[in-house]
mmCIF file of all heavy atoms in Angstrom:
data_model
loop_
_atom_site.group_PDB
_atom_site.id
_atom_site.type_symbol
_atom_site.label_atom_id
_atom_site.label_comp_id
_atom_site.label_asym_id
_atom_site.label_seq_id
_atom_site.Cartn_x
_atom_site.Cartn_y
_atom_site.Cartn_z
ATOM 1 N N PHE A 93 -4.448 3.331 -77.148
ATOM 2 C CA PHE A 93 -5.664 3.721 -78.189
ATOM 3 C C PHE A 93 -5.397 5.068 -78.921
ATOM 4 O O PHE A 93 -4.615 5.829 -78.430
ATOM 5 C CB PHE A 93 -6.993 3.722 -77.298
ATOM 6 C CG PHE A 93 -6.774 4.485 -76.116
ATOM 7 C CD1 PHE A 93 -7.175 5.938 -76.057
ATOM 8 C CD2 PHE A 93 -6.512 3.978 -74.810
ATOM 9 C CE1 PHE A 93 -7.077 6.742 -74.960
ATOM 10 C CE2 PHE A 93 -6.336 4.735 -73.760
ATOM 11 C CZ PHE A 93 -6.713 6.074 -73.718
ATOM 12 N N VAL A 94 -6.145 5.260 -79.890
ATOM 13 C CA VAL A 94 -6.104 6.527 -80.690
ATOM 14 C C VAL A 94 -6.897 7.517 -79.924
ATOM 15 O O VAL A 94 -8.077 7.262 -79.631
ATOM 16 C CB VAL A 94 -6.638 6.283 -82.046
ATOM 17 C CG1 VAL A 94 -6.740 7.679 -82.754
ATOM 18 C CG2 VAL A 94 -5.896 5.393 -82.958
ATOM 19 N N PRO A 95 -6.232 8.552 -79.466
ATOM 20 C CA PRO A 95 -6.914 9.685 -78.599
ATOM 21 C C PRO A 95 -7.900 10.517 -79.519
ATOM 22 O O PRO A 95 -7.530 10.637 -80.761
ATOM 23 C CB PRO A 95 -5.786 10.429 -78.010
ATOM 24 C CG PRO A 95 -4.715 10.400 -79.162
ATOM 25 C CD PRO A 95 -4.849 9.046 -79.753
ATOM 26 N N MET A 96 -8.739 11.128 -78.745
ATOM 27 C CA MET A 96 -9.576 12.124 -79.498
ATOM 28 C C MET A 96 -9.193 13.574 -79.217
ATOM 29 O O MET A 96 -8.461 13.680 -78.166
ATOM 30 C CB MET A 96 -11.027 11.999 -78.993
ATOM 31 C CG MET A 96 -11.655 10.842 -79.514
ATOM 32 S SD MET A 96 -13.425 10.736 -78.862
ATOM 33 C CE MET A 96 -14.244 11.909 -79.850
ATOM 34 N N TRP A 97 -9.421 14.513 -79.931
ATOM 35 C CA TRP A 97 -9.252 15.954 -79.696
ATOM 36 C C TRP A 97 -10.139 16.286 -78.317
ATOM 37 O O TRP A 97 -11.274 15.807 -78.299
ATOM 38 C CB TRP A 97 -9.763 16.823 -80.794
ATOM 39 C CG TRP A 97 -9.692 18.283 -80.697
ATOM 40 C CD1 TRP A 97 -10.686 19.186 -80.788
ATOM 41 C CD2 TRP A 97 -8.633 19.088 -80.316
ATOM 42 N NE1 TRP A 97 -10.315 20.414 -80.545
ATOM 43 C CE2 TRP A 97 -8.944 20.342 -80.258
ATOM 44 C CE3 TRP A 97 -7.135 18.756 -80.051
ATOM 45 C CZ2 TRP A 97 -8.090 21.507 -80.006
ATOM 46 C CZ3 TRP A 97 -6.293 19.873 -79.801
ATOM 47 C CH2 TRP A 97 -6.776 21.164 -79.755
ATOM 48 N N ALA A 98 -9.425 16.852 -77.420
ATOM 49 C CA ALA A 98 -10.025 16.904 -76.046
ATOM 50 C C ALA A 98 -11.475 17.565 -76.105
ATOM 51 O O ALA A 98 -12.302 17.133 -75.354
ATOM 52 C CB ALA A 98 -9.187 17.834 -75.150
ATOM 53 N N LYS A 99 -11.640 18.674 -77.026
ATOM 54 C CA LYS A 99 -13.013 19.305 -77.017
ATOM 55 C C LYS A 99 -14.113 18.251 -77.610
ATOM 56 O O LYS A 99 -15.181 18.133 -76.996
ATOM 57 C CB LYS A 99 -12.913 20.494 -77.861
ATOM 58 C CG LYS A 99 -14.362 21.358 -78.078
ATOM 59 C CD LYS A 99 -14.118 22.473 -78.926
ATOM 60 C CE LYS A 99 -15.379 23.154 -79.015
ATOM 61 N NZ LYS A 99 -15.355 24.329 -80.088
ATOM 62 N N LYS A 100 -13.715 17.365 -78.470
ATOM 63 C CA LYS A 100 -14.615 16.390 -79.077
ATOM 64 C C LYS A 100 -14.958 15.411 -78.020
ATOM 65 O O LYS A 100 -16.073 14.954 -77.883
ATOM 66 C CB LYS A 100 -14.038 15.981 -80.289
ATOM 67 C CG LYS A 100 -14.073 16.851 -81.611
ATOM 68 C CD LYS A 100 -13.724 16.056 -82.877
ATOM 69 C CE LYS A 100 -13.890 17.059 -83.994
ATOM 70 N NZ LYS A 100 -13.554 16.377 -85.258
ATOM 71 N N GLU A 101 -13.982 14.888 -77.286
ATOM 72 C CA GLU A 101 -14.151 13.916 -76.320
ATOM 73 C C GLU A 101 -15.040 14.421 -75.213
ATOM 74 O O GLU A 101 -15.956 13.772 -74.570
ATOM 75 C CB GLU A 101 -12.852 13.397 -75.689
ATOM 76 C CG GLU A 101 -13.045 12.341 -74.745
ATOM 77 C CD GLU A 101 -11.702 11.657 -74.292
ATOM 78 O OE1 GLU A 101 -10.666 11.902 -74.885
ATOM 79 O OE2 GLU A 101 -11.713 10.848 -73.500
ATOM 80 N N LYS A 102 -14.913 15.752 -74.803
ATOM 81 C CA LYS A 102 -15.664 16.305 -73.748
ATOM 82 C C LYS A 102 -17.110 16.405 -74.271
ATOM 83 O O LYS A 102 -18.029 16.141 -73.441
ATOM 84 C CB LYS A 102 -15.154 17.729 -73.479
ATOM 85 C CG LYS A 102 -15.947 18.334 -72.250
ATOM 86 C CD LYS A 102 -15.247 19.724 -71.944
ATOM 87 C CE LYS A 102 -15.990 20.374 -70.620
ATOM 88 N NZ LYS A 102 -15.370 21.573 -70.323
ATOM 89 N N GLU A 103 -17.352 16.770 -75.438
ATOM 90 C CA GLU A 103 -18.677 16.844 -76.027
ATOM 91 C C GLU A 103 -19.257 15.501 -76.188
ATOM 92 O O GLU A 103 -20.583 15.355 -75.807
ATOM 93 C CB GLU A 103 -18.620 17.448 -77.406
ATOM 94 C CG GLU A 103 -18.399 18.939 -77.474
ATOM 95 C CD GLU A 103 -18.082 19.580 -78.966
ATOM 96 O OE1 GLU A 103 -18.113 18.617 -79.783
ATOM 97 O OE2 GLU A 103 -17.937 20.703 -79.022
ATOM 98 N N MET A 104 -18.627 14.347 -76.486
ATOM 99 C CA MET A 104 -19.115 13.057 -76.537
ATOM 100 C C MET A 104 -19.340 12.400 -75.261
ATOM 101 O O MET A 104 -20.253 11.701 -75.001
ATOM 102 C CB MET A 104 -18.206 12.245 -77.449
ATOM 103 C CG MET A 104 -18.921 10.866 -77.708
ATOM 104 S SD MET A 104 -17.817 9.850 -78.792
ATOM 105 C CE MET A 104 -18.276 10.651 -80.284
ATOM 106 N N GLY A 105 -18.360 12.702 -74.347
ATOM 107 C CA GLY A 105 -18.444 12.212 -73.008
ATOM 108 C C GLY A 105 -17.597 10.995 -72.809
ATOM 109 O O GLY A 105 -17.332 10.373 -71.710
ATOM 110 N N PHE A 106 -16.966 10.497 -73.949
ATOM 111 C CA PHE A 106 -16.201 9.299 -73.930
ATOM 112 C C PHE A 106 -15.497 9.085 -75.218
ATOM 113 O O PHE A 106 -15.736 9.752 -76.220
ATOM 114 C CB PHE A 106 -17.042 7.973 -73.615
ATOM 115 C CG PHE A 106 -18.098 7.651 -74.619
ATOM 116 C CD1 PHE A 106 -17.673 6.850 -75.754
ATOM 117 C CD2 PHE A 106 -19.278 8.196 -74.579
ATOM 118 C CE1 PHE A 106 -18.603 6.625 -76.699
ATOM 119 C CE2 PHE A 106 -20.288 7.954 -75.471
ATOM 120 C CZ PHE A 106 -20.008 7.041 -76.672
ATOM 121 N N ASN A 107 -14.420 8.228 -75.130
ATOM 122 C CA ASN A 107 -13.591 8.000 -76.359
ATOM 123 C C ASN A 107 -13.928 6.541 -76.828
ATOM 124 O O ASN A 107 -13.485 5.681 -76.046
ATOM 125 C CB ASN A 107 -12.156 8.212 -76.273
ATOM 126 C CG ASN A 107 -11.281 7.846 -77.400
ATOM 127 O OD1 ASN A 107 -11.777 7.331 -78.459
ATOM 128 N ND2 ASN A 107 -10.006 7.970 -77.342
ATOM 129 N N PRO A 108 -14.651 6.179 -77.833
ATOM 130 C CA PRO A 108 -14.941 4.791 -78.247
ATOM 131 C C PRO A 108 -13.673 3.935 -78.277
ATOM 132 O O PRO A 108 -13.729 2.788 -77.906
ATOM 133 C CB PRO A 108 -15.550 4.929 -79.657
ATOM 134 C CG PRO A 108 -16.175 6.333 -79.589
ATOM 135 C CD PRO A 108 -15.214 7.130 -78.771
ATOM 136 N N ALA A 109 -12.604 4.501 -78.840
ATOM 137 C CA ALA A 109 -11.364 3.759 -78.798
ATOM 138 C C ALA A 109 -10.783 3.322 -77.498
ATOM 139 O O ALA A 109 -10.277 2.182 -77.320
ATOM 140 C CB ALA A 109 -10.199 4.413 -79.719
ATOM 141 N N GLU A 110 -10.928 4.160 -76.633
ATOM 142 C CA GLU A 110 -10.526 3.835 -75.151
ATOM 143 C C GLU A 110 -11.334 2.761 -74.625
ATOM 144 O O GLU A 110 -10.839 1.922 -73.925
ATOM 145 C CB GLU A 110 -10.413 5.099 -74.355
ATOM 146 C CG GLU A 110 -9.970 4.899 -72.909
ATOM 147 C CD GLU A 110 -9.870 6.131 -71.963
ATOM 148 O OE1 GLU A 110 -10.176 7.222 -72.601
ATOM 149 O OE2 GLU A 110 -9.432 5.888 -70.924
ATOM 150 N N LEU A 111 -12.741 2.912 -74.750
ATOM 151 C CA LEU A 111 -13.548 1.807 -74.269
ATOM 152 C C LEU A 111 -13.344 0.424 -74.819
ATOM 153 O O LEU A 111 -13.345 -0.459 -74.034
ATOM 154 C CB LEU A 111 -15.057 2.311 -74.579
ATOM 155 C CG LEU A 111 -15.547 3.513 -73.774
ATOM 156 C CD1 LEU A 111 -17.022 3.704 -74.100
ATOM 157 C CD2 LEU A 111 -15.204 3.484 -72.453
ATOM 158 N N ILE A 112 -12.945 0.513 -76.028
ATOM 159 C CA ILE A 112 -12.659 -0.892 -76.647
ATOM 160 C C ILE A 112 -11.313 -1.398 -76.124
ATOM 161 O O ILE A 112 -11.248 -2.520 -75.751
ATOM 162 C CB ILE A 112 -12.504 -0.684 -78.265
ATOM 163 C CG1 ILE A 112 -13.777 -0.270 -78.890
ATOM 164 C CG2 ILE A 112 -11.905 -2.012 -78.961
ATOM 165 C CD1 ILE A 112 -13.748 0.191 -80.414
ATOM 166 N N ALA A 113 -10.274 -0.404 -76.025
ATOM 167 C CA ALA A 113 -9.069 -0.868 -75.323
ATOM 168 C C ALA A 113 -9.179 -1.414 -73.994
ATOM 169 O O ALA A 113 -8.585 -2.415 -73.545
ATOM 170 C CB ALA A 113 -8.079 0.304 -75.530
ATOM 171 N N ARG A 114 -9.969 -0.743 -73.235
ATOM 172 C CA ARG A 114 -10.234 -1.133 -71.880
ATOM 173 C C ARG A 114 -11.025 -2.509 -71.776
ATOM 174 O O ARG A 114 -10.510 -3.365 -70.982
ATOM 175 C CB ARG A 114 -11.175 -0.262 -71.047
ATOM 176 C CG ARG A 114 -10.577 1.253 -70.920
ATOM 177 C CD ARG A 114 -9.513 1.292 -70.044
ATOM 178 N NE ARG A 114 -8.844 2.689 -69.887
ATOM 179 C CZ ARG A 114 -7.657 2.867 -69.444
ATOM 180 N NH1 ARG A 114 -7.061 1.997 -68.949
ATOM 181 N NH2 ARG A 114 -7.251 4.262 -69.341
ATOM 182 N N LYS A 115 -11.782 -2.885 -72.760
ATOM 183 C CA LYS A 115 -12.471 -4.099 -72.755
ATOM 184 C C LYS A 115 -11.417 -5.211 -73.153
ATOM 185 O O LYS A 115 -11.476 -6.259 -72.606
ATOM 186 C CB LYS A 115 -13.486 -4.070 -73.790
ATOM 187 C CG LYS A 115 -14.493 -5.306 -73.657
ATOM 188 C CD LYS A 115 -15.359 -5.139 -72.365
ATOM 189 C CE LYS A 115 -16.419 -6.193 -72.376
ATOM 190 N NZ LYS A 115 -17.121 -6.258 -71.024
ATOM 191 N N LEU A 116 -10.610 -4.846 -74.167
ATOM 192 C CA LEU A 116 -9.446 -5.739 -74.470
ATOM 193 C C LEU A 116 -8.596 -6.085 -73.329
ATOM 194 O O LEU A 116 -8.301 -7.219 -73.144
ATOM 195 C CB LEU A 116 -8.577 -5.120 -75.624
ATOM 196 C CG LEU A 116 -8.993 -5.444 -77.050
ATOM 197 C CD1 LEU A 116 -8.231 -4.571 -78.026
ATOM 198 C CD2 LEU A 116 -9.025 -6.871 -77.488
#
Side-chain angles (χ1 to χ4, degrees):
F93 50 88
V94 174
M96 292 178 71
W97 176 235
K99 182 180 179 181
K100 286 189 175 181
E101 184 171 351
K102 185 176 180 180
E103 290 172 353
M104 183 176 289
F106 61 94
N107 177 357
E110 181 176 1
L111 295 185
I112 295 167
R114 299 287 176 196
K115 196 70 175 178
L116 271 172

